[in-house]
Amino acid sequence: VRYEQHKKKHWTWHIHKHRGEIRGSGAKKRPQKGTGRARHSDFKAPQCKKGGAAHGRRPRSIETYLKRTHYQKGIKIALSARYQEGDLYVWEDFVLPRLEKPEYLKDMQLYQEQNVNK
């Protein structure tokens, strides 16, 4: 069941920039020593205003890997259960009726033929 749900969703698309993706210089704010204040790196650090996120959301795949044989076995079990419940319908010669081309396709084909002849 999870495999089927994950096939539909694929990715999470939340993106927060980390310090390497923020625009700006990598120069230190102030000297490491001698100011009597705390040491800092650059303005892109997470503790700074407009800095990158330390552990922000990133796009990640939520795809689940399932071996083909396991997937086929799961379908076989599901169909067998439906058959035992009497809830499985099978048609021997099921054919969909052939529909004519829609009107807009006919018009498009005529338009293309007229332009080719010019």
Side-chain angles (χ1 to χ4, degrees):
V1 175
R2 280 199 185 130
Y3 177 74
E4 292 293 333
Q5 290 170 345
H6 289 175
K7 267 178 31 179
K8 293 176 188 169
K9 197 165 183 186
H10 296 298
W11 286 87
T12 59
W13 290 107
H14 307 291
I15 299 175
H16 284 186
K17 292 182 181 179
H18 57 75
R19 65 184 299 155
E21 297 171 330
I22 302 290
R23 290 182 62 213
S25 168
K28 284 183 75 67
K29 285 186 187 181
R30 57 175 171 260
Q32 180 86 349
K33 293 173 167 273
T35 59
R37 298 172 69 189
R39 56 191 181 192
H40 281 293
S41 57
D42 55 5
F43 288 98
K44 300 190 278 184
Q47 68 268 25
C48 299
K49 188 175 181 182
K50 297 186 181 177
H55 303 288
R57 298 185 205 165
R58 303 300 294 170
R60 63 186 176 90
S61 172
I62 55 168
E63 197 172 358
T64 308
Y65 176 73
L66 192 64
K67 291 182 180 176
R68 184 173 26 150
T69 54
H70 290 212
Y71 183 72
Q72 290 170 347
K73 188 181 277 188
I75 289 176
K76 181 180 173 183
I77 291 169
L79 290 175
S80 299
R82 280 282 178 97
Y83 180 73
Q84 288 174 353
E85 293 171 2
D87 198 23
L88 182 70
Y89 302 99
V90 179
W91 287 274
E92 300 251 341
D93 297 324
F94 183 74
V95 178
L96 288 172
R98 180 76 182 191
L99 300 176
E100 289 188 31
K101 282 187 181 178
E103 288 297 321
Y104 70 92
L105 285 178
K106 290 179 183 175
D107 294 340
M108 200 169 10
Q109 189 175 7
L110 282 172
Y111 178 74
Q112 287 173 350
E113 288 172 1
Q114 289 172 359
N115 282 343
V116 170
N117 293 336
K118 286 183 180 179

